[in-house]
Amino acid sequence: MNEVAREAKVSLGTVSKVLNGDATVAAERRERVLAACDRLNYQRNQIAASLRRRHTHTIGIIIPDILNTFYAALVEKLENLASAAGYTVIIVTTGEDPQRTQARIGVLKQRQVDGMIVIPSLDSSGLLATAVGDDMPCVIIDRIAANDPYPSVATDNVDAAYQGTRHLLSLGHRHIALAVNTPRLWNTQERIIGFEQAMREAQAKADLRIVGMTVEEAQLSISSLFREPDRPTALFTANNLVTLGAVRAQIDSGLKIPDEISLLAFDDFEWLKLLQPAISAIQQPVDQIAVEAWRLMFHQLSKRSIAAPHIRAAAQLIIRGSTVGYVGAGRKVVAL
């Protein structure tokens, strides 16, 4: 900048004003500064400038697993929103490890991010307040703890699971299994509550199956479920990884969907439409969750008050060919 000032025959302060877009600089001086920048091939050090202003215009996004299609879709939407607002994102993964979560948060703080958007890993919610701190803008997505100190956005999981279960009940199914990864996650607990509420109202027995955190674990557990002599007539999978494990188990077992069992998935993605039959699903409002999360983040960055810090968004039931009516013994089904 000193070289630019000498070349343009202006003060260092004038150069600084021009590069920061100060409209008070006379047009003739502005042109001299810009021409000097061109002649000297001056490239502004954006990082140094950001650190001087105590803002880096970067946001850290912390997710358990980038291969999870729901998280990947959320990250894409958030990155687009951040970019449109002039921010860059740094994405880190935690692999469902609380210690790794703390370490990743530490790395982001060392990078001096302006804020963090976090999907907590398993058993890490209680550590977030200590790891993130009081002065860091932060928004929690999807896996919300009962008493989160930060603004949060998630699907209304109780209602979504309730409506999905009601759909299966309306088709005549009374033996319905809900396959979940683990009840130790808030969103899974909420889905269990909605499922059990609908089953209780229908005076049907809720069959809850805990099948593990990975696709492979879910596949093994659901394969065993499919071999049971009194297997359910309908299976409700509580997230996309469990759904993928169920589809693999169904292919391995040769069980026919929906002729021998109906399948309803929590989370809707393109590959569900490509299967034969296409899989009915609870569609989480990814766009709305991302927009609300960025709004809550931008309010904190702008030091603006937040009237409603905890947002719960409604999901949508998408009915396709994998859920059909159950008509009695023999596991026969009929399309309604």
Side-chain angles (χ1 to χ4, degrees), residues 23-302:
T24 64
V25 180
E28 185 270 336
R29 288 192 174 190
R30 182 184 305 279
E31 290 303 320
R32 280 161 51 193
V33 169
L34 295 177
C37 287
D38 287 340
R39 288 194 298 273
L40 296 172
N41 192 29
Y42 172 77
Q43 300 292 323
R44 192 181 188 199
N45 188 328
Q46 294 289 351
I47 294 176
S50 294
L51 291 176
R52 282 196 300 273
R53 295 193 301 268
R54 298 183 181 273
H55 293 292
T56 60
H57 278 80
T58 57
I59 300 296
I61 300 180
I62 305 170
I63 60 174
D65 180 8
I66 195 64
L67 297 180
N68 184 309
T69 47
F70 175 64
Y71 300 152
L74 268 176
V75 166
E76 181 184 15
K77 301 293 183 184
L78 287 167
E79 198 278 333
N80 289 337
L81 291 165
S83 178
Y87 284 79
T88 300
V89 302
I90 300 175
I91 302 164
V92 297
T93 62
T94 63
E96 301 290 3
D97 184 339
Q99 282 68 45
R100 185 171 166 183
T101 298
Q102 288 186 293
R104 293 296 185 268
I105 290 172
V107 168
L108 292 175
K109 292 175 80 170
Q110 289 173 9
R111 295 293 185 95
Q112 299 191 41
V113 297
D114 294 337
M116 298 184 195
I117 297 175
V118 184
I119 300 175
S121 63
L122 184 64
D123 296 331
S124 72
S125 292
L127 306 173
L128 287 180
T130 301
V132 174
D134 297 332
D135 57 348
M136 173 68 69
C138 182
V139 178
I140 309 298
I141 295 182
D142 187 44
R143 297 176 174 181
I144 315 301
N147 299 302
D148 266 319
Y150 303 108
S152 65
V153 188
T155 298
D156 185 344
N157 287 285
V158 173
D159 183 68
Y162 178 82
Q163 297 300 335
T165 308
R166 290 279 297 173
H167 166 62
L168 295 173
L169 289 165
S170 73
L171 296 174
H173 296 281
R174 287 299 178 271
H175 187 181
I176 303 169
L178 177 69
V180 306
N181 47 10
T182 172
R184 286 154 54 194
L185 290 169
W186 174 88
N187 55 357
T188 303
Q189 293 173 10
E190 298 284 280
R191 292 168 196 179
I192 292 171
I193 290 170
F195 167 70
E196 291 181 338
Q197 179 183 343
M199 295 296 282
R200 188 167 55 250
E201 290 176 0
Q203 298 183 336
K205 182 180 178 181
D207 188 352
L208 177 64
R209 304 295 178 108
I210 300 169
V211 299
M213 294 295 295
T214 68
V215 173
E216 292 72 22
E217 289 172 341
Q219 180 180 353
L220 287 172
S221 183
I222 295 171
S223 292
S224 177
L225 168 66
F226 285 162
R227 290 192 296 269
E228 293 178 5
D230 186 31
R231 67 171 178 265
T233 64
L235 177 64
F236 190 178
T237 51
N239 69 25
N240 62 84
L241 297 183
V242 174
T243 300
L244 184 53
V247 171
R248 288 183 180 179
Q250 176 262 325
I251 293 171
D252 289 345
S253 68
L255 202 64
K256 294 179 180 178
I257 296 174
D259 295 346
E260 296 176 279
I261 190 167
S262 283
L263 176 61
L264 174 64
F266 204 111
D267 287 336
D268 184 34
F269 296 98
E270 286 299 316
W271 62 270
L272 293 181
K273 304 174 189 176
L274 301 178
L275 298 173
Q276 293 296 326
I279 306 299
S280 299
I282 301 294
Q283 185 180 78
Q284 296 201 70
V286 175
D287 287 0
Q288 183 183 355
I289 291 172
V291 167
E292 293 289 359
W294 181 252
R295 181 182 64 81
L296 291 172
M297 172 56 65
F298 203 71
H299 271 59
Q300 293 179 75
L301 295 171
S302 306

